[in-house]
Protein backbone atom coordinates (compact mmCIF):
# COMPACT_ATOMS: atom_id res chain seq x y z
CA UNK A 1 0.00 0.00 0.00
CA UNK A 2 1.24 3.54 -0.62
CA UNK A 3 1.86 5.38 2.63
CA UNK A 4 2.09 9.15 2.87
CA UNK A 5 4.59 10.20 5.47
CA UNK A 6 4.76 13.89 6.25
CA UNK A 7 3.58 14.63 2.69
CA UNK A 8 5.87 12.15 0.85
CA UNK A 9 4.38 9.04 -0.74
CA UNK A 10 6.23 5.80 -0.03
CA UNK A 11 5.33 2.82 -2.23
CA UNK A 12 5.66 -0.88 -1.53
CA UNK A 13 6.32 -0.53 2.17
CA UNK A 14 5.88 -3.93 3.72
CA UNK A 15 4.66 -3.62 7.27
CA UNK A 16 3.91 -7.29 7.71
CA UNK A 17 0.22 -7.13 6.86
CA UNK A 18 -0.50 -5.48 10.21
CA UNK A 19 -3.50 -3.23 10.57
CA UNK A 20 -1.54 0.03 10.32
CA UNK A 21 -3.75 3.09 10.60
CA UNK A 22 -1.29 5.87 11.17
CA UNK A 23 2.28 6.47 10.06
CA UNK A 24 4.41 9.46 10.92
CA UNK A 25 8.04 10.45 11.07
CA UNK A 26 9.66 11.86 14.14
CA UNK A 27 13.18 13.01 14.70
CA UNK A 28 15.26 10.27 16.26
CA UNK A 29 17.93 10.82 18.89
CA UNK A 30 20.78 10.75 16.37
CA UNK A 31 19.18 13.45 14.20
CA UNK A 32 17.87 10.96 11.64
CA UNK A 33 14.16 10.37 11.15
CA UNK A 34 12.31 7.41 12.60
CA UNK A 35 9.11 6.09 11.02
CA UNK A 36 6.43 5.30 13.56
CA UNK A 37 3.71 2.82 12.60
CA UNK A 38 0.63 2.92 14.81
CA UNK A 39 -1.49 -0.18 14.76
CA UNK A 40 -5.16 0.67 14.61
CA UNK A 41 -4.57 3.62 16.92
CA UNK A 42 -5.76 1.29 19.68
CA UNK A 43 -3.73 -0.46 22.36
CA UNK A 44 -4.67 -4.14 22.45
CA UNK A 45 -5.87 -5.26 25.86
CA UNK A 46 -3.68 -8.11 27.01
CA UNK A 47 -5.02 -8.56 30.54
CA UNK A 48 -8.35 -7.83 32.18
CA UNK A 49 -8.91 -6.94 35.82
CA UNK A 50 -12.46 -6.67 37.10
CA UNK A 51 -13.02 -5.15 40.52
CA UNK A 52 -16.48 -6.17 41.71
CA UNK A 53 -17.24 -4.05 44.76
CA UNK A 54 -20.59 -5.80 45.29
CA UNK A 55 -22.74 -3.86 47.82
CA UNK A 56 -19.83 -2.13 49.52
CA UNK A 57 -18.36 1.37 49.89
CA UNK A 58 -19.90 4.72 50.72
CA UNK A 59 -18.60 8.01 49.30
CA UNK A 60 -16.06 8.38 52.10
CA UNK A 61 -14.68 4.91 51.34
CA UNK A 62 -14.58 5.73 47.63
CA UNK A 63 -12.61 8.92 48.32
CA UNK A 64 -10.12 6.98 50.43
CA UNK A 65 -9.91 4.22 47.81
CA UNK A 66 -8.95 6.58 45.00
CA UNK A 67 -6.57 8.62 47.15
CA UNK A 68 -4.48 5.47 47.32
CA UNK A 69 -5.35 3.70 44.07
CA UNK A 70 -4.63 6.64 41.73
CA UNK A 71 -1.05 6.86 42.89
CA UNK A 72 -0.41 3.17 43.62
CA UNK A 73 -1.42 1.85 40.20
CA UNK A 74 1.32 1.70 37.58
CA UNK A 75 0.11 3.00 34.22
CA UNK A 76 0.04 0.19 31.65
CA UNK A 77 -2.65 0.50 29.02
CA UNK A 78 -2.34 -3.11 27.91
CA UNK A 79 -3.98 -3.87 31.26
CA UNK A 80 -7.66 -2.96 31.40
CA UNK A 81 -9.09 -2.39 34.85
CA UNK A 82 -12.86 -2.21 35.23
CA UNK A 83 -14.31 -1.17 38.58
CA UNK A 84 -17.90 -2.27 39.17
CA UNK A 85 -19.28 -0.13 42.01
CA UNK A 86 -22.86 -0.09 43.28
CA UNK A 87 -24.93 1.58 40.56
CA UNK A 88 -25.71 4.76 42.54
CA UNK A 89 -21.97 5.57 42.60
CA UNK A 90 -21.15 5.06 38.91
CA UNK A 91 -20.75 8.76 38.17
CA UNK A 92 -19.01 9.39 41.46
CA UNK A 93 -16.46 6.63 40.91
CA UNK A 94 -15.86 7.74 37.35
CA UNK A 95 -15.16 11.28 38.54
CA UNK A 96 -12.53 9.99 40.97
CA UNK A 97 -10.36 8.13 38.44
CA UNK A 98 -7.19 10.14 37.80
CA UNK A 99 -7.19 11.52 34.24
CA UNK A 100 -3.76 9.95 33.67
CA UNK A 101 -5.40 6.53 34.21
CA UNK A 102 -8.54 7.15 32.19
CA UNK A 103 -7.50 4.87 29.30
CA UNK A 104 -6.62 2.09 31.70
CA UNK A 105 -9.32 2.24 34.39
CA UNK A 106 -12.98 2.20 33.39
CA UNK A 107 -16.30 1.78 35.14
CA UNK A 108 -18.87 -0.99 34.76
CA UNK A 109 -22.24 -1.89 36.23
CA UNK A 110 -22.89 -5.02 38.30
CA UNK A 111 -26.28 -5.80 36.76
CA UNK A 112 -28.82 -4.34 34.33
CA UNK A 113 -32.39 -5.20 33.40
CA UNK A 114 -32.90 -6.26 29.80
CA UNK A 115 -35.69 -3.86 28.89
CA UNK A 116 -34.57 -0.41 27.72
CA UNK A 117 -37.14 1.64 29.67
CA UNK A 118 -40.60 1.46 31.18
CA UNK A 119 -42.51 0.57 34.31
CA UNK A 120 -39.87 -1.61 36.00
CA UNK A 121 -39.52 -0.04 39.43
CA UNK A 122 -36.07 -0.36 40.89
CA UNK A 123 -34.38 -1.43 37.70
CA UNK A 124 -31.67 0.14 35.54
CA UNK A 125 -31.29 -0.44 31.80
CA UNK A 126 -28.08 -1.01 29.88
CA UNK A 127 -28.65 2.31 28.11
CA UNK A 128 -28.81 4.11 31.45
CA UNK A 129 -25.61 2.48 32.63
CA UNK A 130 -23.85 3.57 29.46
CA UNK A 131 -25.30 7.05 29.88
CA UNK A 132 -23.63 7.18 33.32
CA UNK A 133 -20.24 6.40 31.77
CA UNK A 134 -20.13 2.62 31.96
CA UNK A 135 -18.23 0.77 29.28
CA UNK A 136 -18.81 -2.70 30.76
CA UNK A 137 -21.71 -4.58 32.32
CA UNK A 138 -21.74 -7.75 34.39
CA UNK A 139 -24.36 -10.37 33.58
CA UNK A 140 -25.33 -13.31 35.77
CA UNK A 141 -22.90 -13.04 38.67
CA UNK A 142 -23.60 -16.01 40.94
CA UNK A 143 -24.94 -13.73 43.70
CA UNK A 144 -27.48 -12.32 41.24
CA UNK A 145 -28.44 -15.88 40.32
CA UNK A 146 -28.57 -16.97 43.98
CA UNK A 147 -30.50 -14.08 45.55
CA UNK A 148 -32.35 -12.23 42.79
CA UNK A 149 -33.80 -14.86 40.53
CA UNK A 150 -31.44 -14.35 37.61
CA UNK A 151 -31.48 -17.37 35.30
CA UNK A 152 -29.75 -18.39 32.10
CA UNK A 153 -32.82 -17.18 30.26
CA UNK A 154 -32.71 -13.69 31.77
CA UNK A 155 -28.92 -13.58 31.27
CA UNK A 156 -29.49 -14.33 27.61
CA UNK A 157 -31.96 -11.45 27.27
CA UNK A 158 -29.61 -9.15 29.17
CA UNK A 159 -26.54 -9.98 27.08
CA UNK A 160 -28.54 -9.39 23.91
CA UNK A 161 -29.93 -6.10 25.25
CA UNK A 162 -26.46 -4.84 26.14
CA UNK A 163 -25.13 -5.76 22.70
CA UNK A 164 -28.09 -4.35 20.79
CA UNK A 165 -28.61 -1.10 22.68
CA UNK A 166 -25.15 0.01 23.81
CA UNK A 167 -21.50 -0.32 22.91
CA UNK A 168 -20.64 -1.77 26.33
CA UNK A 169 -18.82 -5.06 26.79
CA UNK A 170 -20.89 -7.76 28.51
CA UNK A 171 -19.08 -9.83 31.17
CA UNK A 172 -20.99 -13.10 31.28
CA UNK A 173 -20.48 -15.01 34.54
CA UNK A 174 -20.61 -18.79 34.66
CA UNK A 175 -19.53 -21.29 37.30
CA UNK A 176 -20.61 -24.31 39.28
CA UNK A 177 -21.49 -24.92 42.93
CA UNK A 178 -19.48 -27.28 45.14
CA UNK A 179 -22.20 -29.95 44.89
CA UNK A 180 -22.04 -29.89 41.11
CA UNK A 181 -18.25 -30.17 41.17
CA UNK A 182 -18.30 -32.98 43.71
CA UNK A 183 -20.73 -34.86 41.50
CA UNK A 184 -18.32 -34.40 38.59
CA UNK A 185 -20.84 -32.44 36.53
CA UNK A 186 -19.05 -29.08 36.30
CA UNK A 187 -18.10 -29.28 32.63
CA UNK A 188 -21.61 -30.04 31.44
CA UNK A 189 -23.06 -27.42 33.79
CA UNK A 190 -20.82 -24.59 32.54
CA UNK A 191 -21.27 -25.61 28.91
CA UNK A 192 -25.03 -25.49 29.36
CA UNK A 193 -24.77 -22.04 30.94
CA UNK A 194 -22.85 -20.84 27.89
CA UNK A 195 -25.30 -22.44 25.50
CA UNK A 196 -28.35 -20.92 27.16
CA UNK A 197 -26.86 -17.50 27.90
CA UNK A 198 -25.36 -16.99 24.44
CA UNK A 199 -28.16 -18.37 22.28
CA UNK A 200 -28.85 -15.87 19.51
CA UNK A 201 -25.74 -13.76 20.20
CA UNK A 202 -24.16 -13.01 16.84
CA UNK A 203 -20.73 -14.30 15.81
CA UNK A 204 -19.66 -10.74 15.04
CA UNK A 205 -20.34 -9.63 18.63
CA UNK A 206 -18.20 -12.53 19.86
CA UNK A 207 -15.43 -11.92 17.32
CA UNK A 208 -15.23 -8.20 18.06
CA UNK A 209 -14.67 -8.81 21.75
CA UNK A 210 -18.02 -7.52 23.01
CA UNK A 211 -18.37 -10.47 25.38
CA UNK A 212 -15.97 -11.49 28.15
CA UNK A 213 -16.51 -14.92 29.71
CA UNK A 214 -15.94 -14.92 33.42
CA UNK A 215 -15.53 -18.31 35.08
CA UNK A 216 -16.13 -18.15 38.82
CA UNK A 217 -16.50 -21.46 40.64
CA UNK A 218 -19.08 -20.47 43.25
CA UNK A 219 -17.34 -22.41 46.01
CA UNK A 220 -14.21 -20.28 45.54
CA UNK A 221 -15.95 -16.88 45.87
CA UNK A 222 -15.15 -15.01 49.06
CA UNK A 223 -14.25 -18.26 50.79
CA UNK A 224 -10.49 -18.05 50.52
CA UNK A 225 -10.69 -21.38 48.69
CA UNK A 226 -9.01 -20.97 45.32
CA UNK A 227 -9.61 -23.26 42.48
CA UNK A 228 -6.08 -24.33 41.54
CA UNK A 229 -4.67 -22.56 38.51
CA UNK A 230 -4.53 -25.92 36.74
CA UNK A 231 -8.21 -26.61 37.47
CA UNK A 232 -9.15 -23.12 36.29
CA UNK A 233 -7.28 -23.80 33.06
CA UNK A 234 -9.10 -27.12 32.62
CA UNK A 235 -12.41 -25.26 32.78
CA UNK A 236 -11.14 -22.61 30.35
CA UNK A 237 -10.47 -25.46 27.94
CA UNK A 238 -14.04 -26.63 28.38
CA UNK A 239 -15.26 -23.07 27.77
CA UNK A 240 -13.04 -22.79 24.73
CA UNK A 241 -14.42 -25.95 23.18
CA UNK A 242 -18.00 -24.83 23.77
CA UNK A 243 -17.32 -21.43 22.18
CA UNK A 244 -15.58 -23.24 19.29
CA UNK A 245 -18.66 -25.40 18.81
CA UNK A 246 -20.91 -22.33 18.80
CA UNK A 247 -18.69 -19.78 17.02
CA UNK A 248 -15.64 -21.53 15.57
CA UNK A 249 -12.03 -21.99 16.65
CA UNK A 250 -10.86 -18.46 16.03
CA UNK A 251 -13.59 -16.94 18.18
CA UNK A 252 -12.83 -19.50 20.90
CA UNK A 253 -9.17 -18.47 20.92
CA UNK A 254 -9.90 -14.78 20.85
CA UNK A 255 -12.72 -14.38 23.34
CA UNK A 256 -11.45 -13.01 26.68
CA UNK A 257 -11.62 -15.66 29.39
CA UNK A 258 -11.38 -14.35 32.91
CA UNK A 259 -11.12 -16.28 36.19
CA UNK A 260 -12.63 -15.13 39.48
CA UNK A 261 -12.66 -16.50 43.01
CA UNK A 262 -10.30 -15.41 45.81
CA UNK A 263 -7.76 -13.86 43.46
CA UNK A 264 -4.97 -11.81 45.06
CA UNK A 265 -1.43 -10.58 44.45
CA UNK A 266 0.08 -13.83 45.74
CA UNK A 267 -1.77 -16.10 43.30
CA UNK A 268 -2.38 -13.85 40.30
CA UNK A 269 0.63 -14.92 38.29
CA UNK A 270 -0.05 -18.64 38.74
CA UNK A 271 -3.51 -17.96 37.34
CA UNK A 272 -2.37 -15.71 34.50
CA UNK A 273 0.36 -18.17 33.50
CA UNK A 274 -2.34 -20.53 32.26
CA UNK A 275 -2.59 -20.38 28.48
CA UNK A 276 -6.31 -19.61 28.26
CA UNK A 277 -6.76 -17.15 31.10
CA UNK A 278 -6.63 -13.53 29.99
CA UNK A 279 -7.57 -11.82 33.20
CA UNK A 280 -9.23 -11.99 36.58
CA UNK A 281 -12.33 -10.77 38.31
CA UNK A 282 -11.70 -9.81 41.91
CA UNK A 283 -14.18 -9.20 44.71
CA UNK A 284 -12.64 -8.87 48.16
CA UNK A 285 -9.22 -7.65 47.06
CA UNK A 286 -10.74 -4.91 44.88
CA UNK A 287 -12.07 -3.16 47.99
CA UNK A 288 -8.57 -2.53 49.28
CA UNK A 289 -6.91 0.01 47.00
CA UNK A 290 -3.31 -0.83 47.87
CA UNK A 291 -3.86 -4.60 47.49
CA UNK A 292 -5.83 -4.25 44.28
CA UNK A 293 -3.20 -1.96 42.75
CA UNK A 294 -0.42 -4.29 43.87
CA UNK A 295 -2.16 -7.28 42.30
CA UNK A 296 -2.50 -5.44 38.98
CA UNK A 297 1.05 -4.08 39.09
CA UNK A 298 2.66 -7.46 39.69
CA UNK A 299 0.55 -9.25 37.10
CA UNK A 300 2.71 -10.35 34.21
CA UNK A 301 1.49 -10.91 30.68
P1 LIG B 1 -13.75 -12.82 45.65
O1 LIG B 1 -15.05 -12.50 44.76
O2 LIG B 1 -12.56 -12.30 44.91
O3 LIG B 1 -13.99 -12.09 46.95
O4 LIG B 1 -13.68 -14.30 45.83
C1 LIG B 1 -15.05 -12.73 43.39
C2 LIG B 1 -16.37 -12.33 42.78
O5 LIG B 1 -17.43 -12.61 43.34
O6 LIG B 1 -16.37 -11.71 41.68
Amino acid sequence: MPIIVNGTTLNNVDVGGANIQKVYARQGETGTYVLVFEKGGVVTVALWFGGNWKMNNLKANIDAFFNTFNSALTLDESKKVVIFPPACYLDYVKSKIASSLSNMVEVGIQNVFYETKGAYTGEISALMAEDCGCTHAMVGHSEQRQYFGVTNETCNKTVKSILANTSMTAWLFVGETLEIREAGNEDAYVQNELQECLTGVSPSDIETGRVVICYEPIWAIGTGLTCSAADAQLMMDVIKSKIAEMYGDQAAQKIAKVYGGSVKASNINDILMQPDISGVSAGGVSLKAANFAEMINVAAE
Side-chain angles (χ1 to χ4, degrees):
M1 62 168 180
I3 295 175
I4 300 169
V5 182
N6 295 356
T8 304
T9 304
L10 305 177
N11 288 302
N12 303 322
V13 179
D14 183 356
V15 288
N19 176 28
I20 303 301
Q21 304 240 325
K22 190 172 164 196
V23 183
Y24 57 93
R26 67 170 168 77
Q27 196 150 22
E29 280 165 26
T30 57
T32 54
Y33 275 85
V34 178
L35 285 187
V36 180
F37 295 86
E38 272 186 16
K39 205 178 164 185
V42 178
V43 179
T44 313
V45 174
L47 292 178
W48 293 92
F49 301 86
N52 174 10
W53 284 2
K54 310 191 178 185
M55 198 173 72
N56 293 296
N57 284 342
L58 299 174
K59 283 186 183 170
N61 309 109
I62 297 172
D63 293 346
F65 178 93
F66 282 102
N67 278 343
T68 301
F69 192 66
N70 281 337
S71 52
L73 187 67
T74 307
L75 181 65
D76 177 349
E77 290 178 10
S78 69
K79 296 176 176 176
K80 180 69 76 193
V81 181
V82 186
I83 295 180
F84 296 91
C88 54
Y89 297 123
L90 289 169
D91 277 336
Y92 194 70
V93 165
K94 198 167 158 64
S95 76
K96 293 283 161 183
I97 299 168
S99 56
S100 57
L101 296 174
S102 64
N103 287 331
M104 178 180 178
V105 183
E106 297 180 12
V107 174
I109 190 161
Q110 294 174 15
N111 183 51
V112 291
F113 185 52
Y114 50 76
E115 295 292 350
T116 48
K117 63 176 183 170
Y120 303 104
T121 302
E123 294 301 315
I124 295 169
S125 73
L127 260 178
M128 290 167 181
E130 187 170 55
D131 202 34
C132 288
C134 287
T135 44
H136 300 258
M138 291 167 61
V139 181
H141 186 277
S142 59
E143 288 149 18
Q144 279 288 320
R145 293 172 186 262
Q146 187 180 349
Y147 302 121
F148 304 108
V150 166
T151 62
N152 289 342
E153 195 190 334
T154 54
C155 287
N156 181 244
K157 289 181 179 168
T158 308
V159 170
K160 288 195 282 201
S161 173
I162 292 165
L163 297 174
N165 297 307
T166 73
S167 53
M168 293 192 295
T169 303
W171 290 45
L172 174 64
F173 284 70
V174 294
E176 79 287 357
T177 60
L178 192 56
E179 296 71 53
I180 293 169
R181 179 162 280 259
E182 281 174 350
N185 293 333
E186 66 273 22
D187 294 1
Y189 185 84
V190 168
Q191 288 195 322
N192 182 59
E193 285 188 312
L194 291 172
Q195 179 69 48
E196 294 190 356
C197 294
L198 293 176
T199 294
V201 172
S202 76
S204 72
D205 281 333
I206 299 293
E207 280 151 22
T208 52
R210 300 238 11 239
V211 177
V212 168
I213 305 294
C214 210
Y215 169 58
E216 294 200 343
I218 295 168
W219 47 273
I221 297 176
T223 56
L225 294 175
T226 330
C227 170
S228 76
D231 279 346
Q233 168 58 31
L234 280 178
M235 185 56 83
M236 293 305 181
D237 243 355
V238 170
I239 291 170
K240 210 167 68 175
S241 53
K242 184 66 190 175
I243 299 291
E245 180 194 310
M246 295 176 78
Y247 295 100
D249 286 344
Q250 223 188 327
Q253 282 293 347
K254 262 178 66 183
I255 195 167
K257 297 170 226 58
V258 161
Y259 168 79
S262 301
V263 180
K264 43 191 174 294
S266 59
N267 61 15
I268 185 119
N269 281 321
D270 282 348
I271 294 165
L272 293 179
M273 237 159 52
Q274 304 304 313
D276 291 309
I277 301 183
S278 40
V280 294
S281 170
V285 79
S286 74
L287 295 171
K288 298 181 191 110
N291 299 7
F292 191 39
E294 185 200 357
M295 184 186 85
I296 298 163
N297 292 343
V298 301
E301 280 160 36

